[in-house]
Amino acid sequence: MANAFRDTGHEVWATARKLEDVQQLSAAGFCARQLDVNDAHGLTQLAGELEQRHGGLDILINNAGYGAMGPLLDGGVEALRQQFETNVFAVVGVTRALFPLLRRNRGLVVNIGSVSGVLVTPFAGAYCASKAAVHALSDALRLELAPFGIRVMEVQPGAIASQFASNAQQQAEQVLVADSPWWPLREHIQARARASQDKPTPAAQFAQGLLAATLKSPTPALVRLGNGSTALPLLARLLPQRLLDKVLRKRFGLLRPL
């Protein structure tokens, strides 16, 4: 996404938590800054620097996130809290910190959600819940920010080629232990963690689609991009819940008693 927007003339400020990632972004020609999206002080500093340099902001893309995979009860409240801290709370925190700059430029907020917020699957309950929350927050923000001339667009990607699956699988392995009641289903849990890389759409293609959406007038409230982004929500809408449950239970080995 950073490349796509830069290639059309935007000055891109890209943030990352790890210093080596920041250095790589800087070497690629971006205005790179080290930032944890849950760090209020860091957000204040970033907003101040943007204010001094430009005085306003045209587009904010809330893209930080990760997937907490594994049985919901194994991860418990703490895993759910951590998932919401980054995937949900940061959307509000970052947007709030940069609101004055967006207001000045009558800018656009782009929230990266997921089709997982629409079609909920087992072994990804915390992640699906966080993306469902992003959908609700995007709807609320779109209405509340409209009087200030700020537009809000939610993007629900399907399968996109990235490191998401690798990171999600690591998360699942940390949560799932041998004494878990779901240990016999560990292969299915790992399969859910890898699901985002099932025939994924190239990231560059996704970025071009997102860029094109930001240029549309009026700005679309919801954009679905990538493999499965249309079919999976349609499946969730058309199939009776009992039948959908049976399909998902079969897919993830949950038909037999444990």
Side-chain angles (χ1 to χ4, degrees), residues 189-200:
I189 295 170
Q190 292 171 349
R192 174 60 187 90
R194 297 190 301 267
S196 68
Q197 298 308 292
D198 183 14
K199 299 179 180 179

Side-chain angles (χ1 to χ4, degrees), residues 24-158:
Q24 184 177 358
L25 288 165
S26 182
F30 301 108
C31 295
R33 298 293 184 270
Q34 190 169 18
L35 177 71
D36 185 327
V37 291
N38 295 308
D39 177 12
H41 178 67
L43 287 170
T44 300
Q45 285 187 317
L46 176 63
E49 189 175 1
L50 280 166
E51 168 74 29
Q52 290 181 350
R53 288 278 294 272
H54 298 292
L57 181 64
D58 295 318
I59 302 174
L60 165 64
I61 300 180
N62 285 311
N63 186 51
Y66 73 97
M69 299 293 162
L72 194 56
L73 298 187
D74 274 1
V77 172
E78 185 55 34
L80 187 65
R81 181 180 294 112
Q82 292 177 1
Q83 180 72 103
F84 269 64
E85 284 281 353
T86 298
N87 287 21
V88 182
F89 302 160
V91 170
V92 175
V94 174
T95 306
R96 185 172 187 263
L98 300 178
F99 167 72
L101 302 176
L102 289 161
R103 182 182 184 182
R104 192 164 298 151
N105 284 25
R106 301 177 71 83
L108 168 66
V109 178
V110 179
N111 293 330
I112 306 298
S114 172
V115 291
S116 293
V118 181
L119 179 64
V120 178
T121 63
F123 306 136
Y127 177 70
C128 293
S130 74
K131 291 305 184 179
V134 168
H135 174 67
L137 291 175
S138 297
D139 281 351
L141 285 170
R142 188 177 66 254
L143 298 171
E144 294 174 3
L145 296 180
F148 305 101
I150 301 173
R151 295 151 292 136
V152 176
M153 181 173 74
E154 181 195 358
V155 182
Q156 292 182 352

Side-chain angles (χ1 to χ4, degrees), residues 122 188 244-255:
H188 292 282
L244 181 60
D245 284 356
K246 186 174 182 180
V247 170
L248 291 172
R249 287 179 63 194
K250 182 178 180 180
R251 170 69 177 81
F252 294 101
L254 291 164
L255 285 177

Side-chain angles (χ1 to χ4, degrees), residues 184-214:
L185 301 178
R186 57 192 178 277
E187 291 184 4
H188 292 282
I189 295 170
Q190 292 171 349
R192 174 60 187 90
R194 297 190 301 267
S196 68
Q197 298 308 292
D198 183 14
K199 299 179 180 179
T201 296
Q205 182 179 330
F206 166 79
Q208 289 298 324
L210 189 151
L211 175 63
T214 66

